[in-house]
Amino acid sequence: MVTNTIGSSLMCVGPGGGFEVRQLPRRKPATGEIEVAVAAASVNPIDVRRAKGYGRRLLSLMGAGRFPMVLGNDVAGTVTAVGNNAGAFKVGDRVYGVKPPSVEGTHASHVLVKAGHVLPAPAGRDLQALAAVPYSFVTMWLAVRGSGLTRQNAGGKRVLVHGAAGGLGILALQMLSRWGAQPTAIARPPDFAACRQAGAAEVLDGSIKPFASLSRAFDATLNFAAWEDDLALLGCLRRDALGHATTVHPLLANFDELGWLRGALKTFSDKRRHRAALPEGTQNYAWTVFRPDASALQELRQSVEQQCDGLTIGLRTPLAGAAQAFDHVRNRQRGRALILPE
Ligand SMILES: NC(=O)c1ccc[n+]([C@@H]2O[C@H](COP(=O)([O-])OP(=O)(O)OC[C@H]3O[C@@H](n4cnc5c(N)ncnc54)[C@H](OP(=O)(O)O)[C@@H]3O)[C@@H](O)[C@H]2O)c1
């Protein structure tokens, strides 16, 4: 039952314009949607970039490119209203999940989400801890699958994870080690212990760019850190490897900077150049783009129910203090940043 029809939203006013908390009318859920009173929503690197206008051209195709906008792609909270055909959810259920890029993101007191994009929160589990994970987990899972790794084939595979101490990296180490793979983490020395705890079989110092010494050693490589290291990572794959996936590719930036035609041509040529650098017989090469994938959400559900994966929270702030959360992510400070609307 919706009793208060006004909600608070963190509006990102425009590139350089900062943020304002605005009181806005809440809409009723459409068919297939539920409304969630947000207990917590995370701030991710994409939010920091979108606040500056990054991705506006391609994201405009899904109505997510114009300011003012509410950012945020994941949420945990309590169901407050249910649309028609919205599955088995009912008012009062505790849920967590993802929302595709939009101008009505999750940095708000209430958010409308597709029922298929959220999962029931296990009884007793902390909603704040759950809010830190869904967007990163789903993207990580898509990258792992994009590289050709599956739960079935991962056993004993050597996997190189660049950016291993970040959100995607830690979740990848946790999942891959659970799947029986042998992940090697590239991170900075202060993060070695966290990588080992997350399941890294080996840790390497990223500050000395260790790629040359790793020639042809890996079954799969994952780049969660830097596009400029992508070719060096491809050189770490063995012949007939499963493959490589990167979440840090220039897809959105190419279109932002070069427009539709030249952006498409540059994207095509970037991909072709990198594919050409793959060792002979490599099966997969993927530029991962987040989407609310049903199989990824099922894997997330399983990992949450088995209490396998999670991320450390570094900062919690109310909506009005959200600029602090954006600074935390921009400055690459440790732990995830959460916005707590209430
Ligand atoms: N394509 C998509 O749809 C999609 C979706 C989600 C995320 N992403 C991107 O994937 C990346 C990882 O996400 P995340 O949430 O895990 O980010 P994160 O928590 O900020 O972690 C990024 C990790 O990469 C390392 N790193 C960053 N820049 C680096 C550089 N230039 N050289 C070496 N290491 C570097 C960081 O190390 P230090 O902290 O030690 O510097 C950190 O461990 C981000 O760039 C994010 O924007 C893309």
Side-chain angles (χ1 to χ4, degrees), residues 44-46 49 135-136 139 162-169 188 191 209 224-226 228-229 246-249 288-290 329 332 336:
N44 286 284
I46 186 68
R49 296 201 185 106
Y135 172 75
S136 298
T139 309
H162 190 24
L168 273 60
R188 288 186 298 160
D191 294 321
K209 302 273 176 193
F224 301 138
E228 60 266 28
D229 292 336
T246 177
T247 60
V248 284
H249 46 70
T288 302
V289 176
F290 164 75
V329 178
R332 302 200 335 224
R336 308 312 269 180

PDB file of all heavy atoms in Angstrom, residues 44-46 49 135-136 139 162-169 188 191 209 224-226 228-229 246-249 288-290 329 332 336, ligand 1:
ATOM      1  N   ASN A  44      28.825   3.116  -7.849  1.00  0.00           N
ATOM      2  CA  ASN A  44      29.823   2.370  -8.603  1.00  0.00           C
ATOM      3  C   ASN A  44      30.594   3.319  -9.525  1.00  0.00           C
ATOM      4  O   ASN A  44      30.141   4.440  -9.788  1.00  0.00           O
ATOM      5  CB  ASN A  44      29.122   1.280  -9.426  1.00  0.00           C
ATOM      6  CG  ASN A  44      28.661   0.130  -8.559  1.00  0.00           C
ATOM      7  OD1 ASN A  44      29.452  -0.699  -8.140  1.00  0.00           O
ATOM      8  ND2 ASN A  44      27.366   0.107  -8.247  1.00  0.00           N
ATOM      9  N   PRO A  45      31.746   2.870 -10.044  1.00  0.00           N
ATOM     10  CA  PRO A  45      32.509   3.756 -10.936  1.00  0.00           C
ATOM     11  C   PRO A  45      31.687   4.309 -12.097  1.00  0.00           C
ATOM     12  O   PRO A  45      31.874   5.461 -12.491  1.00  0.00           O
ATOM     13  CB  PRO A  45      33.646   2.853 -11.433  1.00  0.00           C
ATOM     14  CG  PRO A  45      33.856   1.864 -10.318  1.00  0.00           C
ATOM     15  CD  PRO A  45      32.489   1.622  -9.745  1.00  0.00           C
ATOM     16  N   ILE A  46      30.732   3.530 -12.610  1.00  0.00           N
ATOM     17  CA  ILE A  46      29.930   4.019 -13.745  1.00  0.00           C
ATOM     18  C   ILE A  46      29.108   5.243 -13.332  1.00  0.00           C
ATOM     19  O   ILE A  46      28.893   6.163 -14.144  1.00  0.00           O
ATOM     20  CB  ILE A  46      29.006   2.903 -14.316  1.00  0.00           C
ATOM     21  CG1 ILE A  46      28.275   3.356 -15.580  1.00  0.00           C
ATOM     22  CG2 ILE A  46      27.987   2.441 -13.286  1.00  0.00           C
ATOM     23  CD1 ILE A  46      29.127   3.570 -16.777  1.00  0.00           C
ATOM     24  N   ARG A  49      31.245   8.282 -13.485  1.00  0.00           N
ATOM     25  CA  ARG A  49      31.499   8.720 -14.868  1.00  0.00           C
ATOM     26  C   ARG A  49      30.239   9.303 -15.507  1.00  0.00           C
ATOM     27  O   ARG A  49      30.299  10.322 -16.190  1.00  0.00           O
ATOM     28  CB  ARG A  49      31.997   7.531 -15.698  1.00  0.00           C
ATOM     29  CG  ARG A  49      33.324   7.025 -15.205  1.00  0.00           C
ATOM     30  CD  ARG A  49      34.047   6.229 -16.271  1.00  0.00           C
ATOM     31  NE  ARG A  49      35.248   5.684 -15.676  1.00  0.00           N
ATOM     32  CZ  ARG A  49      35.412   4.402 -15.354  1.00  0.00           C
ATOM     33  NH1 ARG A  49      34.492   3.518 -15.643  1.00  0.00           N
ATOM     34  NH2 ARG A  49      36.518   4.000 -14.784  1.00  0.00           N
ATOM     35  N   TYR A 135      25.009  -5.309  -8.869  1.00  0.00           N
ATOM     36  CA  TYR A 135      25.511  -4.771 -10.148  1.00  0.00           C
ATOM     37  C   TYR A 135      26.906  -5.319 -10.449  1.00  0.00           C
ATOM     38  O   TYR A 135      27.187  -5.767 -11.563  1.00  0.00           O
ATOM     39  CB  TYR A 135      25.523  -3.245 -10.073  1.00  0.00           C
ATOM     40  CG  TYR A 135      26.176  -2.545 -11.236  1.00  0.00           C
ATOM     41  CD1 TYR A 135      25.535  -2.454 -12.478  1.00  0.00           C
ATOM     42  CD2 TYR A 135      27.430  -1.954 -11.099  1.00  0.00           C
ATOM     43  CE1 TYR A 135      26.143  -1.800 -13.545  1.00  0.00           C
ATOM     44  CE2 TYR A 135      28.032  -1.299 -12.159  1.00  0.00           C
ATOM     45  CZ  TYR A 135      27.383  -1.225 -13.376  1.00  0.00           C
ATOM     46  OH  TYR A 135      27.992  -0.582 -14.437  1.00  0.00           O
ATOM     47  N   SER A 136      27.768  -5.320  -9.437  1.00  0.00           N
ATOM     48  CA  SER A 136      29.132  -5.814  -9.634  1.00  0.00           C
ATOM     49  C   SER A 136      29.129  -7.315  -9.920  1.00  0.00           C
ATOM     50  O   SER A 136      29.852  -7.790 -10.787  1.00  0.00           O
ATOM     51  CB  SER A 136      29.992  -5.535  -8.399  1.00  0.00           C
ATOM     52  OG  SER A 136      30.093  -4.152  -8.183  1.00  0.00           O
ATOM     53  N   THR A 139      27.820  -8.060 -13.525  1.00  0.00           N
ATOM     54  CA  THR A 139      28.816  -7.694 -14.541  1.00  0.00           C
ATOM     55  C   THR A 139      29.990  -8.668 -14.513  1.00  0.00           C
ATOM     56  O   THR A 139      30.477  -9.117 -15.560  1.00  0.00           O
ATOM     57  CB  THR A 139      29.334  -6.261 -14.297  1.00  0.00           C
ATOM     58  OG1 THR A 139      28.219  -5.386 -14.147  1.00  0.00           O
ATOM     59  CG2 THR A 139      30.181  -5.780 -15.460  1.00  0.00           C
ATOM     60  N   HIS A 162      42.944  -9.071 -13.457  1.00  0.00           N
ATOM     61  CA  HIS A 162      43.560  -7.740 -13.317  1.00  0.00           C
ATOM     62  C   HIS A 162      42.521  -6.800 -12.699  1.00  0.00           C
ATOM     63  O   HIS A 162      41.374  -6.771 -13.148  1.00  0.00           O
ATOM     64  CB  HIS A 162      43.967  -7.247 -14.712  1.00  0.00           C
ATOM     65  CG  HIS A 162      44.816  -6.012 -14.705  1.00  0.00           C
ATOM     66  ND1 HIS A 162      45.598  -5.627 -13.633  1.00  0.00           N
ATOM     67  CD2 HIS A 162      45.034  -5.067 -15.666  1.00  0.00           C
ATOM     68  CE1 HIS A 162      46.238  -4.513 -13.920  1.00  0.00           C
ATOM     69  NE2 HIS A 162      45.908  -4.144 -15.152  1.00  0.00           N
ATOM     70  N   GLY A 163      42.945  -6.038 -11.681  1.00  0.00           N
ATOM     71  CA  GLY A 163      41.969  -5.239 -10.928  1.00  0.00           C
ATOM     72  C   GLY A 163      41.313  -6.110  -9.873  1.00  0.00           C
ATOM     73  O   GLY A 163      40.145  -5.920  -9.518  1.00  0.00           O
ATOM     74  N   ALA A 164      42.088  -7.077  -9.337  1.00  0.00           N
ATOM     75  CA  ALA A 164      41.521  -8.119  -8.475  1.00  0.00           C
ATOM     76  C   ALA A 164      41.025  -7.597  -7.132  1.00  0.00           C
ATOM     77  O   ALA A 164      40.190  -8.233  -6.495  1.00  0.00           O
ATOM     78  CB  ALA A 164      42.553  -9.221  -8.255  1.00  0.00           C
ATOM     79  N   ALA A 165      41.525  -6.442  -6.684  1.00  0.00           N
ATOM     80  CA  ALA A 165      41.111  -5.947  -5.367  1.00  0.00           C
ATOM     81  C   ALA A 165      39.870  -5.066  -5.434  1.00  0.00           C
ATOM     82  O   ALA A 165      39.352  -4.634  -4.411  1.00  0.00           O
ATOM     83  CB  ALA A 165      42.250  -5.167  -4.719  1.00  0.00           C
ATOM     84  N   GLY A 166      39.382  -4.779  -6.647  1.00  0.00           N
ATOM     85  CA  GLY A 166      38.165  -3.981  -6.793  1.00  0.00           C
ATOM     86  C   GLY A 166      36.927  -4.844  -6.571  1.00  0.00           C
ATOM     87  O   GLY A 166      37.030  -6.038  -6.273  1.00  0.00           O
ATOM     88  N   GLY A 167      35.759  -4.224  -6.737  1.00  0.00           N
ATOM     89  CA  GLY A 167      34.510  -4.949  -6.501  1.00  0.00           C
ATOM     90  C   GLY A 167      34.363  -6.160  -7.403  1.00  0.00           C
ATOM     91  O   GLY A 167      34.092  -7.273  -6.945  1.00  0.00           O
ATOM     92  N   LEU A 168      34.536  -5.960  -8.708  1.00  0.00           N
ATOM     93  CA  LEU A 168      34.395  -7.082  -9.640  1.00  0.00           C
ATOM     94  C   LEU A 168      35.471  -8.127  -9.394  1.00  0.00           C
ATOM     95  O   LEU A 168      35.217  -9.336  -9.449  1.00  0.00           O
ATOM     96  CB  LEU A 168      34.482  -6.582 -11.100  1.00  0.00           C
ATOM     97  CG  LEU A 168      33.178  -6.114 -11.744  1.00  0.00           C
ATOM     98  CD1 LEU A 168      32.543  -4.951 -11.017  1.00  0.00           C
ATOM     99  CD2 LEU A 168      33.403  -5.754 -13.209  1.00  0.00           C
ATOM    100  N   GLY A 169      36.680  -7.644  -9.106  1.00  0.00           N
ATOM    101  CA  GLY A 169      37.806  -8.556  -8.913  1.00  0.00           C
ATOM    102  C   GLY A 169      37.611  -9.475  -7.716  1.00  0.00           C
ATOM    103  O   GLY A 169      37.795 -10.694  -7.816  1.00  0.00           O
ATOM    104  N   ARG A 188      47.600  -4.284  -5.810  1.00  0.00           N
ATOM    105  CA  ARG A 188      48.706  -3.620  -5.109  1.00  0.00           C
ATOM    106  C   ARG A 188      48.986  -4.384  -3.813  1.00  0.00           C
ATOM    107  O   ARG A 188      48.058  -4.955  -3.225  1.00  0.00           O
ATOM    108  CB  ARG A 188      48.332  -2.169  -4.807  1.00  0.00           C
ATOM    109  CG  ARG A 188      48.332  -1.311  -6.072  1.00  0.00           C
ATOM    110  CD  ARG A 188      48.099   0.128  -5.749  1.00  0.00           C
ATOM    111  NE  ARG A 188      46.792   0.342  -5.118  1.00  0.00           N
ATOM    112  CZ  ARG A 188      46.476   1.409  -4.405  1.00  0.00           C
ATOM    113  NH1 ARG A 188      47.347   2.357  -4.213  1.00  0.00           N
ATOM    114  NH2 ARG A 188      45.269   1.544  -3.884  1.00  0.00           N
ATOM    115  N   ASP A 191      46.676  -4.811  -0.851  1.00  0.00           N
ATOM    116  CA  ASP A 191      45.438  -5.565  -1.080  1.00  0.00           C
ATOM    117  C   ASP A 191      45.678  -7.066  -1.243  1.00  0.00           C
ATOM    118  O   ASP A 191      44.733  -7.821  -1.512  1.00  0.00           O
ATOM    119  CB  ASP A 191      44.719  -5.027  -2.328  1.00  0.00           C
ATOM    120  CG  ASP A 191      44.237  -3.597  -2.124  1.00  0.00           C
ATOM    121  OD1 ASP A 191      43.762  -3.281  -1.015  1.00  0.00           O
ATOM    122  OD2 ASP A 191      44.353  -2.781  -3.070  1.00  0.00           O
ATOM    123  N   LYS A 209      53.676  -3.919 -13.210  1.00  0.00           N
ATOM    124  CA  LYS A 209      53.228  -4.450 -14.505  1.00  0.00           C
ATOM    125  C   LYS A 209      53.872  -5.816 -14.791  1.00  0.00           C
ATOM    126  O   LYS A 209      54.841  -5.915 -15.553  1.00  0.00           O
ATOM    127  CB  LYS A 209      53.551  -3.459 -15.630  1.00  0.00           C
ATOM    128  CG  LYS A 209      52.934  -2.077 -15.434  1.00  0.00           C
ATOM    129  CD  LYS A 209      51.536  -2.004 -15.984  1.00  0.00           C
ATOM    130  CE  LYS A 209      50.888  -0.670 -15.695  1.00  0.00           C
ATOM    131  NZ  LYS A 209      49.472  -0.615 -15.916  1.00  0.00           N
ATOM    132  N   PHE A 224      39.593  -6.048 -15.289  1.00  0.00           N
ATOM    133  CA  PHE A 224      38.687  -5.156 -14.559  1.00  0.00           C
ATOM    134  C   PHE A 224      39.407  -3.866 -14.188  1.00  0.00           C
ATOM    135  O   PHE A 224      38.942  -3.131 -13.303  1.00  0.00           O
ATOM    136  CB  PHE A 224      38.194  -5.824 -13.265  1.00  0.00           C
ATOM    137  CG  PHE A 224      37.468  -7.127 -13.463  1.00  0.00           C
ATOM    138  CD1 PHE A 224      37.710  -8.207 -12.621  1.00  0.00           C
ATOM    139  CD2 PHE A 224      36.540  -7.285 -14.482  1.00  0.00           C
ATOM    140  CE1 PHE A 224      37.039  -9.413 -12.789  1.00  0.00           C
ATOM    141  CE2 PHE A 224      35.858  -8.496 -14.663  1.00  0.00           C
ATOM    142  CZ  PHE A 224      36.111  -9.557 -13.820  1.00  0.00           C
ATOM    143  N   ALA A 225      40.577  -3.606 -14.810  1.00  0.00           N
ATOM    144  CA  ALA A 225      41.412  -2.494 -14.322  1.00  0.00           C
ATOM    145  C   ALA A 225      41.643  -1.407 -15.358  1.00  0.00           C
ATOM    146  O   ALA A 225      41.272  -0.254 -15.120  1.00  0.00           O
ATOM    147  CB  ALA A 225      42.744  -3.035 -13.817  1.00  0.00           C
ATOM    148  N   ALA A 226      42.276  -1.734 -16.486  1.00  0.00           N
ATOM    149  CA  ALA A 226      42.724  -0.666 -17.381  1.00  0.00           C
ATOM    150  C   ALA A 226      42.791  -1.156 -18.826  1.00  0.00           C
ATOM    151  O   ALA A 226      43.452  -2.165 -19.115  1.00  0.00           O
ATOM    152  CB  ALA A 226      44.106  -0.176 -16.948  1.00  0.00           C
ATOM    153  N   GLU A 228      44.397   0.124 -21.211  1.00  0.00           N
ATOM    154  CA  GLU A 228      45.752   0.178 -21.783  1.00  0.00           C
ATOM    155  C   GLU A 228      46.559  -1.078 -21.474  1.00  0.00           C
ATOM    156  O   GLU A 228      47.593  -1.307 -22.094  1.00  0.00           O
ATOM    157  CB  GLU A 228      46.505   1.451 -21.347  1.00  0.00           C
ATOM    158  CG  GLU A 228      46.706   1.623 -19.858  1.00  0.00           C
ATOM    159  CD  GLU A 228      45.613   2.474 -19.213  1.00  0.00           C
ATOM    160  OE1 GLU A 228      44.480   2.494 -19.736  1.00  0.00           O
ATOM    161  OE2 GLU A 228      45.882   3.104 -18.167  1.00  0.00           O
ATOM    162  N   ASP A 229      46.093  -1.923 -20.545  1.00  0.00           N
ATOM    163  CA  ASP A 229      46.794  -3.181 -20.244  1.00  0.00           C
ATOM    164  C   ASP A 229      46.181  -4.363 -20.993  1.00  0.00           C
ATOM    165  O   ASP A 229      46.609  -5.510 -20.808  1.00  0.00           O
ATOM    166  CB  ASP A 229      46.741  -3.469 -18.734  1.00  0.00           C
ATOM    167  CG  ASP A 229      47.555  -2.461 -17.930  1.00  0.00           C
ATOM    168  OD1 ASP A 229      48.491  -1.856 -18.500  1.00  0.00           O
ATOM    169  OD2 ASP A 229      47.242  -2.272 -16.736  1.00  0.00           O
ATOM    170  N   THR A 246      36.914  -8.160 -21.011  1.00  0.00           N
ATOM    171  CA  THR A 246      37.233  -6.898 -20.351  1.00  0.00           C
ATOM    172  C   THR A 246      35.958  -6.114 -20.080  1.00  0.00           C
ATOM    173  O   THR A 246      35.062  -6.057 -20.925  1.00  0.00           O
ATOM    174  CB  THR A 246      38.206  -6.054 -21.197  1.00  0.00           C
ATOM    175  OG1 THR A 246      38.420  -4.809 -20.530  1.00  0.00           O
ATOM    176  CG2 THR A 246      37.683  -5.763 -22.603  1.00  0.00           C
ATOM    177  N   THR A 247      35.895  -5.530 -18.885  1.00  0.00           N
ATOM    178  CA  THR A 247      34.804  -4.591 -18.587  1.00  0.00           C
ATOM    179  C   THR A 247      35.274  -3.158 -18.808  1.00  0.00           C
ATOM    180  O   THR A 247      34.490  -2.226 -18.711  1.00  0.00           O
ATOM    181  CB  THR A 247      34.334  -4.731 -17.125  1.00  0.00           C
ATOM    182  OG1 THR A 247      35.436  -4.442 -16.253  1.00  0.00           O
ATOM    183  CG2 THR A 247      33.796  -6.114 -16.830  1.00  0.00           C
ATOM    184  N   VAL A 248      36.583  -2.989 -19.056  1.00  0.00           N
ATOM    185  CA  VAL A 248      37.138  -1.641 -19.231  1.00  0.00           C
ATOM    186  C   VAL A 248      37.564  -1.459 -20.691  1.00  0.00           C
ATOM    187  O   VAL A 248      38.736  -1.540 -21.017  1.00  0.00           O
ATOM    188  CB  VAL A 248      38.319  -1.387 -18.245  1.00  0.00           C
ATOM    189  CG1 VAL A 248      37.805  -1.133 -16.845  1.00  0.00           C
ATOM    190  CG2 VAL A 248      39.291  -2.569 -18.218  1.00  0.00           C
ATOM    191  N   HIS A 249      36.585  -1.259 -21.522  1.00  0.00           N
ATOM    192  CA  HIS A 249      36.797  -1.112 -22.966  1.00  0.00           C
ATOM    193  C   HIS A 249      36.296   0.272 -23.381  1.00  0.00           C
ATOM    194  O   HIS A 249      35.534   0.907 -22.643  1.00  0.00           O
ATOM    195  CB  HIS A 249      36.048  -2.215 -23.712  1.00  0.00           C
ATOM    196  CG  HIS A 249      34.640  -2.396 -23.224  1.00  0.00           C
ATOM    197  ND1 HIS A 249      33.656  -1.463 -23.439  1.00  0.00           N
ATOM    198  CD2 HIS A 249      34.077  -3.367 -22.475  1.00  0.00           C
ATOM    199  CE1 HIS A 249      32.544  -1.871 -22.871  1.00  0.00           C
ATOM    200  NE2 HIS A 249      32.762  -3.016 -22.266  1.00  0.00           N
ATOM    201  N   THR A 288      32.576  -6.778 -22.140  1.00  0.00           N
ATOM    202  CA  THR A 288      31.385  -7.009 -21.321  1.00  0.00           C
ATOM    203  C   THR A 288      30.644  -5.697 -21.086  1.00  0.00           C
ATOM    204  O   THR A 288      31.256  -4.673 -20.765  1.00  0.00           O
ATOM    205  CB  THR A 288      31.805  -7.596 -19.960  1.00  0.00           C
ATOM    206  OG1 THR A 288      32.521  -8.806 -20.202  1.00  0.00           O
ATOM    207  CG2 THR A 288      30.608  -7.871 -19.081  1.00  0.00           C
ATOM    208  N   VAL A 289      29.327  -5.747 -21.228  1.00  0.00           N
ATOM    209  CA  VAL A 289      28.465  -4.607 -20.908  1.00  0.00           C
ATOM    210  C   VAL A 289      27.394  -5.111 -19.946  1.00  0.00           C
ATOM    211  O   VAL A 289      26.731  -6.119 -20.223  1.00  0.00           O
ATOM    212  CB  VAL A 289      27.810  -4.023 -22.178  1.00  0.00           C
ATOM    213  CG1 VAL A 289      26.839  -2.916 -21.808  1.00  0.00           C
ATOM    214  CG2 VAL A 289      28.868  -3.513 -23.142  1.00  0.00           C
ATOM    215  N   PHE A 290      27.232  -4.422 -18.822  1.00  0.00           N
ATOM    216  CA  PHE A 290      26.234  -4.828 -17.828  1.00  0.00           C
ATOM    217  C   PHE A 290      24.837  -4.910 -18.438  1.00  0.00           C
ATOM    218  O   PHE A 290      24.413  -4.024 -19.176  1.00  0.00           O
ATOM    219  CB  PHE A 290      26.207  -3.828 -16.665  1.00  0.00           C
ATOM    220  CG  PHE A 290      24.975  -3.954 -15.813  1.00  0.00           C
ATOM    221  CD1 PHE A 290      24.837  -5.002 -14.924  1.00  0.00           C
ATOM    222  CD2 PHE A 290      23.925  -3.049 -15.943  1.00  0.00           C
ATOM    223  CE1 PHE A 290      23.692  -5.150 -14.160  1.00  0.00           C
ATOM    224  CE2 PHE A 290      22.769  -3.188 -15.179  1.00  0.00           C
ATOM    225  CZ  PHE A 290      22.652  -4.236 -14.290  1.00  0.00           C
ATOM    226  N   VAL A 329      34.373   6.817  -4.322  1.00  0.00           N
ATOM    227  CA  VAL A 329      34.575   5.946  -5.488  1.00  0.00           C
ATOM    228  C   VAL A 329      35.580   6.587  -6.450  1.00  0.00           C
ATOM    229  O   VAL A 329      36.486   5.914  -6.958  1.00  0.00           O
ATOM    230  CB  VAL A 329      33.229   5.673  -6.186  1.00  0.00           C
ATOM    231  CG1 VAL A 329      33.423   4.809  -7.429  1.00  0.00           C
ATOM    232  CG2 VAL A 329      32.262   5.000  -5.220  1.00  0.00           C
ATOM    233  N   ARG A 332      39.056   6.095  -5.481  1.00  0.00           N
ATOM    234  CA  ARG A 332      39.392   4.665  -5.364  1.00  0.00           C
ATOM    235  C   ARG A 332      39.773   4.303  -3.944  1.00  0.00           C
ATOM    236  O   ARG A 332      40.743   3.614  -3.675  1.00  0.00           O
ATOM    237  CB  ARG A 332      40.488   4.286  -6.365  1.00  0.00           C
ATOM    238  CG  ARG A 332      40.048   4.605  -7.762  1.00  0.00           C
ATOM    239  CD  ARG A 332      40.699   3.957  -8.941  1.00  0.00           C
ATOM    240  NE  ARG A 332      41.997   3.440  -8.942  1.00  0.00           N
ATOM    241  CZ  ARG A 332      42.880   3.636  -9.936  1.00  0.00           C
ATOM    242  NH1 ARG A 332      42.550   4.412 -10.962  1.00  0.00           N
ATOM    243  NH2 ARG A 332      44.042   3.066  -9.907  1.00  0.00           N
ATOM    244  N   ARG A 336      33.146  -0.620  -0.635  1.00  0.00           N
ATOM    245  CA  ARG A 336      32.070  -0.059  -1.454  1.00  0.00           C
ATOM    246  C   ARG A 336      31.414   1.110  -0.728  1.00  0.00           C
ATOM    247  O   ARG A 336      31.384   1.163   0.509  1.00  0.00           O
ATOM    248  CB  ARG A 336      30.999  -1.117  -1.775  1.00  0.00           C
ATOM    249  CG  ARG A 336      31.526  -2.375  -2.360  1.00  0.00           C
ATOM    250  CD  ARG A 336      32.490  -2.130  -3.502  1.00  0.00           C
ATOM    251  NE  ARG A 336      31.892  -2.079  -4.823  1.00  0.00           N
ATOM    252  CZ  ARG A 336      32.592  -1.867  -5.944  1.00  0.00           C
ATOM    253  NH1 ARG A 336      33.903  -1.663  -5.892  1.00  0.00           N
ATOM    254  NH2 ARG A 336      32.016  -1.842  -7.118  1.00  0.00           N
TER     255      ARG A 336
HETATM  256  N1  LIG B   1      31.276  -2.410 -18.984  1.00  0.00           N
HETATM  257  C1  LIG B   1      30.411  -2.420 -17.969  1.00  0.00           C
HETATM  258  O1  LIG B   1      29.192  -2.575 -18.164  1.00  0.00           O
HETATM  259  C2  LIG B   1      30.950  -2.249 -16.577  1.00  0.00           C
HETATM  260  C3  LIG B   1      30.150  -2.588 -15.480  1.00  0.00           C
HETATM  261  C4  LIG B   1      30.709  -2.502 -14.197  1.00  0.00           C
HETATM  262  C5  LIG B   1      32.010  -2.054 -14.036  1.00  0.00           C
HETATM  263  N2  LIG B   1      32.701  -1.678 -15.147  1.00  0.00           N
HETATM  264  C6  LIG B   1      34.081  -1.182 -14.994  1.00  0.00           C
HETATM  265  O2  LIG B   1      34.896  -2.260 -14.548  1.00  0.00           O
HETATM  266  C7  LIG B   1      35.936  -1.736 -13.745  1.00  0.00           C
HETATM  267  C8  LIG B   1      35.959  -2.504 -12.438  1.00  0.00           C
HETATM  268  O3  LIG B   1      34.809  -2.176 -11.706  1.00  0.00           O
HETATM  269  P1  LIG B   1      34.874  -2.205 -10.126  1.00  0.00           P
HETATM  270  O4  LIG B   1      33.541  -1.858  -9.637  1.00  0.00           O
HETATM  271  O5  LIG B   1      35.528  -3.460  -9.693  1.00  0.00           O
HETATM  272  O6  LIG B   1      35.863  -0.966  -9.866  1.00  0.00           O
HETATM  273  P2  LIG B   1      36.749  -0.722  -8.574  1.00  0.00           P
HETATM  274  O7  LIG B   1      36.133  -1.324  -7.392  1.00  0.00           O
HETATM  275  O8  LIG B   1      37.100   0.720  -8.598  1.00  0.00           O
HETATM  276  O9  LIG B   1      38.072  -1.566  -8.848  1.00  0.00           O
HETATM  277  C9  LIG B   1      38.922  -1.305  -9.932  1.00  0.00           C
HETATM  278  C10 LIG B   1      40.226  -2.052  -9.673  1.00  0.00           C
HETATM  279  O10 LIG B   1      41.089  -1.845 -10.790  1.00  0.00           O
HETATM  280  C11 LIG B   1      42.291  -1.248 -10.356  1.00  0.00           C
HETATM  281  N3  LIG B   1      42.661  -0.220 -11.304  1.00  0.00           N
HETATM  282  C12 LIG B   1      41.920   0.831 -11.692  1.00  0.00           C
HETATM  283  N4  LIG B   1      42.581   1.556 -12.609  1.00  0.00           N
HETATM  284  C13 LIG B   1      43.752   0.943 -12.794  1.00  0.00           C
HETATM  285  C14 LIG B   1      44.860   1.213 -13.605  1.00  0.00           C
HETATM  286  N5  LIG B   1      44.891   2.262 -14.430  1.00  0.00           N
HETATM  287  N6  LIG B   1      45.904   0.356 -13.564  1.00  0.00           N
HETATM  288  C15 LIG B   1      45.874  -0.690 -12.745  1.00  0.00           C
HETATM  289  N7  LIG B   1      44.853  -0.990 -11.926  1.00  0.00           N
HETATM  290  C16 LIG B   1      43.790  -0.180 -11.955  1.00  0.00           C
HETATM  291  C17 LIG B   1      42.026  -0.665  -8.992  1.00  0.00           C
HETATM  292  O11 LIG B   1      43.201  -0.758  -8.245  1.00  0.00           O
HETATM  293  P3  LIG B   1      43.609   0.376  -7.183  1.00  0.00           P
HETATM  294  O12 LIG B   1      42.393   0.675  -6.383  1.00  0.00           O
HETATM  295  O13 LIG B   1      44.691  -0.278  -6.414  1.00  0.00           O
HETATM  296  O14 LIG B   1      44.056   1.537  -7.962  1.00  0.00           O
HETATM  297  C18 LIG B   1      40.943  -1.571  -8.438  1.00  0.00           C
HETATM  298  O15 LIG B   1      41.490  -2.683  -7.793  1.00  0.00           O
HETATM  299  C19 LIG B   1      35.671  -0.242 -13.548  1.00  0.00           C
HETATM  300  O16 LIG B   1      36.479   0.501 -14.439  1.00  0.00           O
HETATM  301  C20 LIG B   1      34.203  -0.101 -13.948  1.00  0.00           C
HETATM  302  O17 LIG B   1      33.897   1.170 -14.466  1.00  0.00           O
HETATM  303  C21 LIG B   1      32.213  -1.768 -16.395  1.00  0.00           C
END
